[in-house]
Amino acid sequence: MADLHDATEEYLETILEIEEEGIIPIRARLVERLGLSAAAVSEQVNRLVDQGYAELLGDRTLRLTGSGRALAVSVVRRHRLAERLLVDVIGLEWEKAHKEADRWEHAISAEVEAKLVELLGDPATCPHGNPIPGSRHRPEHLDAPSLASVGPGPATIARVSERLELDDAALTFVATAGLIPGSAVTVRGRDGDTVLVDTTAGAQRVPADLADLLFVAA
C-alpha cells in the first residue's frame, strides 16, 4: 500500500466487499483477505475507528459509519469502472484486470470517473459480474446460486466472487477453462470434491471450493 490514504481506502473497500458476500466483517476476515498480520490489521482498524470511518462493536464486528461507507462505495465504484475500461477498451486479459485496477482506483478523479461512465455506457457490473455502485442499470443475477450447488443441465456463468479475484492462479484457471461471466456451460454433476462441467474449452473438472465462488444463471 503506497500510503496511509491508500491503506484506508483498501480496508474500507475490503469491508464493503465482505459485506456484499453476506459475511459479517471482523478483523480475522480482513487478515485473510489482505494477507497481513493480525497486528497490522488491528492497528489499521483502530485508525479507521479514530478517523470516524468505522465502529468496532461489542461483539468485535466492524460496522462502517456513514462517511466510511460513502468512501468505500466510491473506491469500489472506481475499481470496477477501471476493470471495465481495462478489459472492454484497452483489451487487457480478463484475469489480469482486478490486480491492475487496484493500482488505478486510488488515482481516478471525480471528473475522470464521470468520463468513464460516459465512455463505458454506465455499465451495471464489472467484468467479473459484480455490481458497480451508483449505476443507473440494475445488475441481473445477484442472487444466483453457486456452480457447486446446481444440478445437471445448461447454465450461464453470471458472477465471480471477490474472494476468487484475489487468487491469480484461480483466475487464470477460470479464464482458461471458459468459465468467465457470460460463458454458457453444461453442468454434468459431481465427482467427489469436483464439479464436472462442459465449456467451450472442453470438459472441465472444477474443484468444489472454487465452484462455490462461481455463480450461475439457468
Side-chain angles (χ1 to χ4, degrees), residues 93-112:
E93 291 88 343
W94 177 87
E95 62 271 25
K96 297 178 181 178
H98 179 80
K99 181 172 286 187
E100 187 64 32
D102 278 342
R103 303 183 179 98
W104 289 45
E105 65 190 31
H106 307 294
I108 296 174
S109 66
E111 182 178 4
V112 170

Side-chain angles (χ1 to χ4, degrees), residues 99-212:
K99 181 172 286 187
E100 187 64 32
D102 278 342
R103 303 183 179 98
W104 289 45
E105 65 190 31
H106 307 294
I108 296 174
S109 66
E111 182 178 4
V112 170
E113 179 184 312
K115 292 293 185 183
L116 280 177
V117 171
E118 181 180 352
L119 173 67
L120 298 168
D122 191 21
T125 67
C126 74
H128 305 95
N130 293 304
I132 296 177
S135 172
R136 296 190 305 274
H137 302 121
R138 178 177 171 77
E140 299 179 355
H141 312 307
L142 285 182
D143 298 322
S146 73
L147 178 63
S149 68
V150 298
T156 301
I157 305 297
R159 186 170 69 83
V160 170
S161 168
E162 283 284 347
R163 277 184 285 169
L164 192 147
E165 292 185 51
L166 302 176
D167 187 333
D168 290 343
L171 285 176
T172 299
F173 171 81
V174 167
T176 303
L179 293 166
I180 68 173
S183 300
V185 304
T186 300
V187 181
R188 296 301 183 191
R190 293 287 289 262
D191 180 14
D193 291 332
T194 303
V195 180
L196 306 178
V197 183
D198 290 341
T199 76
T200 56
Q204 307 296 331
R205 298 179 63 88
V206 184
D209 56 350
L210 191 155
D212 273 329

Side-chain angles (χ1 to χ4, degrees), residues 1 4 7 14 18 24-25 52 58 68 70 72 87 93 141 188 190 195 199 216:
M1 299 176 191
L4 178 59
T14 303
I18 290 171
I24 297 174
V87 173
E93 291 88 343
H141 312 307
R188 296 301 183 191
R190 293 287 289 262
V195 180
T199 76
V216 299

